[in-house]
Amino acid sequence: GDSVTQMEGPVTLSEEAFLTINCTYTATGYPSLFWYVQYPGEGLQLLLKATKADDKGSNKGFEATYRKETTSFHLEKGSVQVSDSAVYFCALSDQRGYGGSQGNLIFGKGTKLSVKP
Amino acid sequence: EPEVTQTPSHQVTQMGQEVILRCVPISNHLYFYWYRQILGQKVEFLVSFYNNEISEKSEIFDDQFSVERPDGSNFTLKIRSTKLEDSAMYFCASSTSGGRNSPLHFGNGTRLTVT
């Protein structure tokens, strides 16, 4: 079945360092891909998304490009801040369901990022 | 910005007891979901709900689980007889449509502890 694999954490960086969190997926169809972020004590928030191959999602300085040839959707940021400390989840949504919801998400395990000043 | 709200934030219950987790989705959303995250593990899909009926459910969502939209605003998850392995963070989510491009808006979660 469909699945998402992301790099194990935790990841610890100094402020202004470059961030990459790897994410690869397996899917039978043509999924949409998402990155969600969970700040301490809060719920999951959509960070960015891409709906087809070669699309680039971006938000708050984060970027990820939908690479069909490598089935990847790696998250990058050029210069992290302490406020970026959170858990980051890669997820996919594929066509499924029985005439109803087709927006069910399959998540990776999450990668905890800690940014030190 | 409108948000999904969940209550309580933390629920402790004894094994075998019934528990109801409550959620108020965003008011103009039509699709509702429950996910759970066992500590240290993946966020897992439980169930989706549309037009007052279950659209899809996972293998986890067995006969012990049920969902209901008792009025125009609340969306509840009931676990009839809790087990130790039901201890997890439960997230409610809603979306405007069921399309795969429609982002889900999540609540802050209810941490359920079964003792």
Side-chain angles (χ1 to χ4, degrees):
Chain A
D2 296 353
S3 67
V4 173
T5 303
Q6 59 184 108
M7 63 188 287
E8 297 280 335
V11 173
T12 303
L13 296 173
S14 298
E15 210 164 21
E16 299 183 3
F18 184 85
L19 168 71
T20 300
I21 300 178
N22 290 339
C23 171
T24 57
Y25 68 90
T26 56
T28 52
Y30 299 93
S32 292
L33 302 173
F34 304 84
W35 277 98
Y36 279 80
V37 58
Q38 184 179 27
Y39 298 104
E42 298 185 16
L44 296 159
Q45 301 175 24
L46 178 65
L47 180 60
L48 54 83
K49 70 175 185 179
T51 59
K52 62 183 187 299
D54 299 325
D55 268 4
K56 178 187 282 188
S58 61
N59 186 24
K60 299 182 182 179
F62 291 89
E63 292 183 340
T65 301
Y66 189 140
R67 301 279 187 211
K68 191 169 183 293
E69 64 276 14
T70 54
T71 61
S72 65
F73 193 55
H74 305 321
L75 182 68
E76 296 182 337
K77 186 174 185 181
S79 176
V80 294
Q81 306 300 312
V82 173
S83 57
D84 294 326
S85 297
V87 181
Y88 292 81
F89 293 91
C90 186
L92 72 81
S93 177
D94 204 346
Q95 291 288 345
R96 59 161 73 191
Y98 301 98
S101 171
Q102 296 171 333
N104 308 338
L105 293 170
I106 296 171
F107 284 90
K109 279 193 173 182
T111 302
K112 183 175 181 179
L113 170 66
S114 295
V115 181
K116 307 296 185 187
Chain B
E1 184 176 329
E3 57 183 30
V4 176
T5 56
Q6 291 184 242
T7 55
S9 58
H10 192 189
Q11 174 89 44
V12 181
T13 190
Q14 288 190 325
M15 194 168 52
Q17 295 295 306
E18 175 183 286
V19 66
I20 297 176
L21 309 182
R22 302 181 190 280
C23 170
V24 178
I26 295 174
S27 62
N28 64 338
H29 286 188
L30 301 176
Y31 291 81
F32 314 113
Y33 309 82
W34 283 100
Y35 286 77
R36 79 171 185 191
Q37 184 182 25
I38 295 172
L39 187 64
Q41 299 188 24
K42 291 186 179 187
V43 177
E44 301 171 294
F45 167 73
L46 292 179
V47 66
S48 58
F49 190 87
Y50 169 72
N51 201 25
N52 284 320
E53 60 184 24
I54 291 174
S55 304
E56 190 175 354
K57 59 184 181 180
S58 71
E59 292 175 354
I60 303 167
F61 195 89
D62 60 21
D63 292 343
Q64 296 295 321
F65 291 89
S66 62
V67 289
E68 192 178 29
R69 188 154 163 83
D71 52 42
S73 59
N74 290 284
F75 179 52
T76 61
L77 174 69
K78 181 192 290 186
I79 308 175
R80 188 155 51 92
S81 177
T82 51
K83 303 185 286 286
L84 293 176
E85 54 265 38
D86 293 327
S87 295
M89 181 73 87
Y90 288 81
F91 291 105
C92 174
S94 66
S95 63
T96 51
S97 76
R100 63 190 181 98
N101 298 330
S102 179
L104 273 61
H105 295 256
F106 285 84
N108 286 355
T110 294
R111 180 168 297 285
L112 176 66
T113 302
V114 182
T115 61

